Amino acid sequence: MPLSQMATKMAEQPLVLGRVIGDVVDPFIPTIKMCATFSNKQVLNGHEFFPSSLSFKPRVLIQGEDMRSLFTLIMVDPDVPGPSDPYMREHLHWLVTDIPGTTDATFGKELMSYEIPKPTIGIHRFVFVLFKQKRRRSVNPPSSRDRFNTRRFSAENDLGLPVAAVYFNAQRETAARRR
């Protein structure tokens, strides 16, 4: 197997182990580098963040392509109301479209403003999914944040498979954990 294919396989693996591929998106090959940070702390697959550190919208950099390429960024929690019974599966926390390549999400059009993650039961996954748009202003906002479905949204807006994804975990902070 060529080195580039091995690197791609290794990049996919945490998304499979974390059930992002399966619960949120179908299998895909990452083709764009995306870097999400909260207060200069990079989001790495499966790492935990305290909800108190998620108060401000993250910085999401898109590397690769060029300024003519446009992207849609989705941030969802697929574990609502709790990971043992996520019957409301997927709550939309953020939706930004028309993000030019080689920039960050602040240059895009925010269709759904950033909503601070506040898990109440268990450890929740929060997933950033990046899609390459086929044209400008091609994405319609969803009617609700609740019961959002990334796959359905992608199909309805002709976005195809993701080009990048990363996720982190967070759980309710207790007084004992904050020390």
Side-chain angles (χ1 to χ4, degrees):
M1 177 182 294
L3 203 53
S4 62
Q5 282 182 336
M6 274 180 39
T8 299
K9 276 287 180 207
M10 288 173 64
E12 269 183 352
Q13 194 171 21
L15 297 174
V16 172
L17 293 174
R19 296 181 340 272
V20 169
I21 290 178
D23 288 353
V24 180
V25 296
D26 292 326
F28 72 99
I29 296 171
T31 56
I32 297 292
K33 185 171 182 187
M34 173 178 64
C35 178
T37 56
F38 285 96
S39 302
N40 294 324
K41 291 184 182 174
Q42 186 174 350
V43 174
L44 299 172
N45 285 318
H47 284 215
E48 185 167 350
F49 279 80
F50 291 114
S52 60
S53 68
L54 307 172
S55 297
F56 299 99
K57 89 172 67 164
R59 183 162 189 215
V60 180
L61 296 170
I62 299 167
Q63 300 168 332
E65 296 293 318
D66 58 41
M67 295 287 285
R68 293 176 306 231
S69 299
L70 297 172
F71 296 89
T72 293
L73 176 70
I74 294 171
M75 179 183 168
V76 295
D77 174 355
D79 299 319
V80 178
S84 62
D85 185 20
Y87 64 88
M88 292 178 71
R89 182 103 39 211
E90 288 191 61
H91 180 80
L92 180 63
H93 280 269
W94 198 25
L95 174 59
V96 185
T97 66
D98 296 330
I99 306 166
T102 71
T103 67
D104 67 53
T106 59
F107 288 91
K109 180 181 177 189
E110 200 172 56
L111 293 186
M112 297 293 265
S113 62
Y114 175 70
E115 183 179 273
I116 300 167
K118 294 180 183 172
T120 54
I121 304 167
I123 300 170
H124 288 236
R125 295 166 294 163
F126 293 89
V127 185
F128 292 97
V129 183
L130 187 69
F131 294 93
K132 185 173 180 181
Q133 292 174 214
K134 295 180 179 160
R135 62 199 158 280
R136 182 174 290 279
R137 291 190 244 316
S138 62
V139 177
N140 296 310
S143 56
S144 171
R145 290 180 185 267
D146 294 324
R147 300 183 191 270
F148 183 81
N149 184 294
T150 300
R151 284 184 184 93
R152 184 178 60 237
F153 183 80
S154 171
E156 288 170 355
N157 290 282
D158 194 27
L159 294 171
L161 289 173
V163 293
V166 66
Y167 80 100
F168 66 93
N169 296 319
Q171 61 184 308
R172 182 177 169 196
E173 284 183 66
T174 61
R177 288 185 69 210
R178 284 191 203 142
R179 284 190 227 164

